[in-house]
Amino acid sequence: MKLISHRGNLVGPIPNLENNPSYISDAINEGYDVEIDFWFNSNDLYLGHDLPTYQITDDFLELHKNKLWIHCKNLYALRYLYGTNFRYFWHQEDDFTLISNGKIWTYPCKNVLDKSIIVCKDAKSTQKIIKENEAYGVCSDYVGV
C-alpha cells in the first residue's frame, strides 16, 4: 500500500509547517510519498493550502516527481501540469477524483477500489485502511504513526 503524507505531516497535523518545501523533503527522505498543494501565479510556482505561500522551482518538482501527488489549487496550476507525467489532480469535496495517472482520489469514508487513494482524517481510520489493505494507497496526516 502506498503511504502518502498529507502536506508533509507524518504523526499529526502541524499547520505552520504544511507544504513547506523542507518539511516535504523530510517526509520524502523518511520514505513517504507526499500530497502537496500547488499554485501557479504570475509565472511562479508555489506551495500552500489556502494561499500560495512557499515559492518553489521546477527543479523542486522534478527532483521529487516520483514521490509527489500534486493537488492543483487553481486553474493555472492545472494548466501548467496538464500533459506532463506528474501525478496531479483537482478536487474540492468530490467523492471521487481521477488523478492524471489513472488512480482515484477518494474523499474520506467513501468506498474504495484497488485503484483508490483514500484520504483519512485521523490516526485510527488511517491504521484501519492500512490494515485492511483494500485501497491502492492512503493519504493522511498520520501515515507515520
Side-chain angles (χ1 to χ4, degrees):
M1 174 170 289
K2 184 71 70 175
L3 301 180
I4 304 170
S5 162
H6 183 237
R7 305 180 191 147
N9 295 315
L10 297 176
V11 294
I14 305 176
N16 63 319
L17 292 178
E18 293 174 355
N19 284 300
N20 181 309
S22 62
Y23 191 55
I24 290 164
S25 294
D26 289 346
I28 290 170
N29 290 335
E30 290 288 323
Y32 297 95
D33 283 16
V34 180
E35 179 267 342
I36 60 172
D37 297 317
F38 176 69
W39 299 79
F40 184 80
N41 283 344
S42 302
N43 291 322
D44 291 317
L45 312 178
Y46 294 91
L47 301 179
H49 182 253
D50 293 322
L51 296 168
T53 306
Y54 302 102
Q55 190 168 8
I56 59 169
T57 63
D58 284 320
D59 292 340
F60 178 84
L61 292 177
E62 199 60 47
L63 176 66
H64 299 302
K65 176 186 276 185
N66 296 327
K67 293 291 199 171
L68 296 177
W69 299 81
I70 304 172
H71 178 184
C72 296
K73 298 298 280 189
N74 64 358
L75 181 61
Y76 304 107
L78 190 60
R79 183 180 67 191
Y80 182 82
L81 292 174
Y82 183 81
T84 68
N85 58 0
F86 286 96
R87 294 178 294 213
Y88 60 93
F89 61 97
W90 162 269
H91 84 105
Q92 287 186 309
E93 294 183 9
D94 310 313
D95 289 351
F96 308 100
T97 298
L98 189 61
I99 303 170
S100 61
N101 69 344
K103 302 298 184 226
I104 304 164
W105 198 259
T106 306
Y107 204 71
C109 303
K110 301 299 177 186
N111 293 334
V112 297
L113 303 170
D114 61 346
K115 305 273 188 232
S116 300
I117 296 169
I118 189 157
V119 177
C120 293
K121 299 214 178 224
D122 59 64
K124 185 176 179 180
S125 62
T126 300
Q127 294 307 311
K128 180 178 184 276
I129 291 293
I130 292 170
K131 187 175 185 177
E132 290 174 357
N133 200 26
E134 294 176 1
Y136 174 81
V138 60
C139 177
S140 173
D141 295 317
Y142 301 92
V143 291
V145 175

